[in-house]
Amino acid sequence: MANTRCWIFVGLLAAFAAPAFAQSFRVQCPDDTITHPSRLNDNNAEPTYVGPTQYGTAPVTVNGTGGGYQTPTSNVNGAIKCQQISGGDGYASMGDGTQTYLFSFGPLSGLSDIALGNPGSEFPSVFNKRFPVAVQGGGPGSTLLVNRMPPGYPTNVANASTVPLSSTQLDSLNSPNTFNGAVGLDYNVANTVSIYDITQGPGGTANIAAGTGANVVTVIGNAPLSLNLIPGVSKVVIADQPDLPAGYAGTWTVYAVNIPNAYFPETFAFQYVAGTTGLAEVTESPDATASFPQLLDGHVDPRQIMDVGVMNGNIPAPLMAIDEDDEFFLTLTNVGMIMRPDLFEQHTVHFHGYPNASSFYDGVPDASVAINIAASFTYYYLAPDAGTYFWHCHITPPEHLQMGMVGQLFVRPRQNRVPTTTTLNAALVQQQGDLRTACRRYGDTASPAIGQFDSPPDILCSNPVPIPPPAGTTPATGGGTYAYNDGDGSTRYDVDYPLQMHGFDPNFHFVGMTFNPEGFTDMKDKYFLLNGRSYPDTVTPGPLQTQSSDAVNHFSQPLSSIINIPAGGKALLRISNLNVSEYHTLASLGIPMQVIGYNAKLLRDQAGNNLYYTTNSITLGGGESLDVLLDASAFTAAAYPQLGSDDTPLVFYLYTPNLDHLSNDAENFGGQLTEVHICKSVDPATKADLSATPGTPCARSAS
């Protein structure tokens, strides 16, 4: 990760001398960290939860520069996830057809997943892949793989000239060939030096020390290959050249560094062990080189970043989802705003209400860093307590939030990873051994026991062990999906939906595009949105697209607002209000709303009593979130025979009772209104009944 001022300095240098490796855009996604060592954990999958991570003290290294800190030794929980986003501008389409200009975040990774309405947070094995497009080049009949992605990707994959997309188009977005890696990720330019002398064994004109093994090769460069070569770790490539004996060429592991020799300083020389002996010394070769192998180390092709990132705004901003105990690396790349070239706007990412360990990654520019145009910065997070959060830019928040720089984030609980053979209560008791998230109470059966009159260690903890169930009750076991670590299965759901409430003032957006002063005191929303859409777009399946000023279609509003619930099941609504100036109310008639969490905290008191409540409407101010279960337990095929068919669901409505919010720019029949369907079945991945006929309410597509 780069200090912003450092990258500005590099950019100024590049204006005078532009070597091939100079750049300001970078990404970061390690597959091995101190917290998640790959030798103990597959960081490309979520492990089963069997107890708290166990730690030991890392030994101090020989040179005294490391060690002495806590490192995992077993039961490593969580994995690593990464995401890349752009900060810039774009357009979105309102329910009455109006195109609205945005300051916005857009996806630069997980593009196909985000287009399908899924989170763009990816495991390293997915994120760290180059875009593999085959093009002709490199000589007759040859094919080169280059990192070339057209603007608007993946609208071109689905041939999305119209919306809604068909089932075939949606399938094309979900095929194994679609790309979810980091846009622009490419091999770094390998450092290369000319070889002055290469010899095997002791002696030679280079006067290599006696006792050197007969198969040890000493390479003396015209300059140091690197001052940070690490014996036993670093790899070097000796190029195959006509004047070198064949046994020298290949990729080798460095054996030793800083080798005394007769020609150059010790730092110019290193050694490796060859697979054969008896190789002749070669001095002053005109072609022989030593280099590093090509690596994916965060280097990106800036053209690809600009091709895809410019005018690629999303509303809501790209969805993020991580699991408790994950490490999350989020790269923000500021591509500038092509419609407002006069603005040198910085951007940040602020996770609202999220307990960061350090303000450095909090995104508030006063205590953190702000990202300049043509720069990237990687934020680091360790997933905290489960729940629904949200995020936004913290540069001039009233302006940037109103203009669309808002998105949603949720953290899935450890309880999702509890095996079916373990009771949820026992698993939550186990979690009390994790000092980072422990939430103790008297009588919770965890060790060491807490006395009746002892103060709990953390009065702000979010999910204490629940009170014991009534006698004779069968305890809930793992294997389901839950909103929180509840310990009793009370937050279990079948399918979940992020639902972001927001509003736009079209006058403010128009002024923001036309170089005029923005009237903050006159700000008044006239478009009222659910997931960036107003009715009737809220009931359009699949992503919505907008043609931007670059004449390219972009999936500007990927999140549908249709809510499909399986018969007799429950849907979790992850509701947030990111409006600058309005309270928002949502009502559900016919399907009870059970509120189970508020601002990413389970509604439970410190004695373990659930404080959930059932209602038919909820109201949120700007900067608040709720977790709500829509409970369709009473709607079964036995009670409603029509649910025996995939094509005849029950239809309900989720809407705002604020009548002025049921409009699109003061026109009736718009705003915050969407449909809730009770379907025969719902696939949790696609949020649709895959057996339903296209065009019916529960179907994946409208055609």
Side-chain angles (χ1 to χ4, degrees), residues 306-327:
M306 298 304 291
D307 280 352
V308 176
V310 169
M311 298 304 297
N312 195 36
N314 278 188
I315 179 70
L319 181 62
M320 302 175 188
I322 52 181
D323 292 81
E324 205 172 351
D325 300 309
D326 281 355
E327 286 181 281

Side-chain angles (χ1 to χ4, degrees), residues 232-302:
V233 176
S234 299
K235 301 284 187 181
V236 294
V237 178
I238 306 300
D240 187 7
Q241 298 296 342
D243 61 337
L244 286 187
Y248 280 132
T251 300
W252 309 98
T253 301
V254 173
Y255 170 70
V257 298
N258 300 332
I259 310 301
N261 63 89
Y263 297 117
F264 293 115
E266 297 177 359
T267 55
F268 286 39
F270 63 89
Q271 293 177 332
Y272 65 88
V273 178
T276 186
T277 58
L279 300 175
E281 181 178 13
V282 177
T283 304
E284 297 189 62
S285 167
D287 301 310
T289 60
S291 64
F292 289 130
Q294 286 187 323
L295 297 173
L296 294 175
D297 62 354
H299 176 93
V300 297
D301 176 0

Side-chain angles (χ1 to χ4, degrees), residues 101 103 336-337 340-345 373 399 512 515 518:
Y101 175 66
F103 294 178
M337 292 187 286
R340 288 298 307 270
D342 61 311
L343 294 179
F344 296 90
E345 293 287 89
I373 295 174
E399 177 190 28
F515 302 82
E518 295 165 325

Side-chain angles (χ1 to χ4, degrees), residues 87-322:
D89 53 1
Y91 285 95
S93 296
M94 300 294 99
D96 60 359
T98 300
Q99 281 192 311
T100 299
Y101 175 66
L102 308 172
F103 294 178
S104 51
F105 294 108
L108 284 176
S109 66
L111 269 66
S112 296
D113 281 343
I114 287 173
L116 290 167
N118 298 318
S121 313
E122 308 289 355
F123 290 114
S125 60
V126 176
F127 185 90
N128 290 325
K129 284 187 177 179
R130 300 169 68 232
F131 183 65
V133 177
V135 298
Q136 294 302 312
S142 66
T143 297
L144 298 177
L145 290 180
V146 299
N147 201 15
R148 183 171 296 164
M149 181 184 293
Y153 184 94
T155 54
N156 63 308
V157 172
N159 191 25
S161 58
T162 59
V163 292
L165 302 184
S166 67
S167 295
T168 300
Q169 289 173 310
L170 290 170
D171 287 339
S172 69
L173 290 175
N174 199 35
S175 74
N177 297 322
T178 51
F179 183 68
N180 282 307
V183 171
L185 185 66
D186 207 351
Y187 293 117
N188 205 348
V189 177
N191 189 25
T192 302
V193 297
S194 297
I195 295 175
Y196 182 82
D197 183 272
I198 184 167
T199 187
Q200 189 174 47
T205 62
N207 195 25
I208 304 304
T212 301
N215 59 345
V216 173
V217 175
T218 302
V219 178
I220 304 170
N222 287 313
L225 178 61
S226 171
L227 297 178
N228 296 309
L229 288 176
I230 303 174
V233 176
S234 299
K235 301 284 187 181
V236 294
V237 178
I238 306 300
D240 187 7
Q241 298 296 342
D243 61 337
L244 286 187
Y248 280 132
T251 300
W252 309 98
T253 301
V254 173
Y255 170 70
V257 298
N258 300 332
I259 310 301
N261 63 89
Y263 297 117
F264 293 115
E266 297 177 359
T267 55
F268 286 39
F270 63 89
Q271 293 177 332
Y272 65 88
V273 178
T276 186
T277 58
L279 300 175
E281 181 178 13
V282 177
T283 304
E284 297 189 62
S285 167
D287 301 310
T289 60
S291 64
F292 289 130
Q294 286 187 323
L295 297 173
L296 294 175
D297 62 354
H299 176 93
V300 297
D301 176 0
R303 172 179 172 172
Q304 289 296 293
I305 294 289
M306 298 304 291
D307 280 352
V308 176
V310 169
M311 298 304 297
N312 195 36
N314 278 188
I315 179 70
L319 181 62
M320 302 175 188
I322 52 181

Side-chain angles (χ1 to χ4, degrees), residues 18 53 68 116 129 150 163 204 278 315 405 437 477 482 521 524 556 573-574 581 600 613 615 693 700:
T53 301
L116 290 167
K129 284 187 177 179
V163 292
I315 179 70
M405 304 197 83
T437 58
T477 57
Y482 308 87
T521 57
K524 176 65 176 175
S556 57
L573 304 185
R574 300 181 179 274
S581 59
Y613 62 92
T615 181
T693 302
R700 188 180 177 205

Side-chain angles (χ1 to χ4, degrees), residues 47-52 75-77 417-419 422 430:
T48 300
Y49 185 81
V50 295
N75 283 4
V76 179
N77 288 300
R417 311 194 299 269
V418 173
T422 303
Q430 280 184 312

Side-chain angles (χ1 to χ4, degrees), residues 352-367:
H352 190 96
Y354 191 96
N356 281 331
S358 169
S359 62
F360 187 66
Y361 298 113
D362 193 50
V364 178
D366 312 79

Side-chain angles (χ1 to χ4, degrees), residues 19 84 136 152 278 355 420 452 585-586 604 630:
Q84 183 183 198
Q136 294 302 312
T420 57
Q452 183 174 1
T585 299
L586 281 180
R604 177 176 290 169
L630 280 185

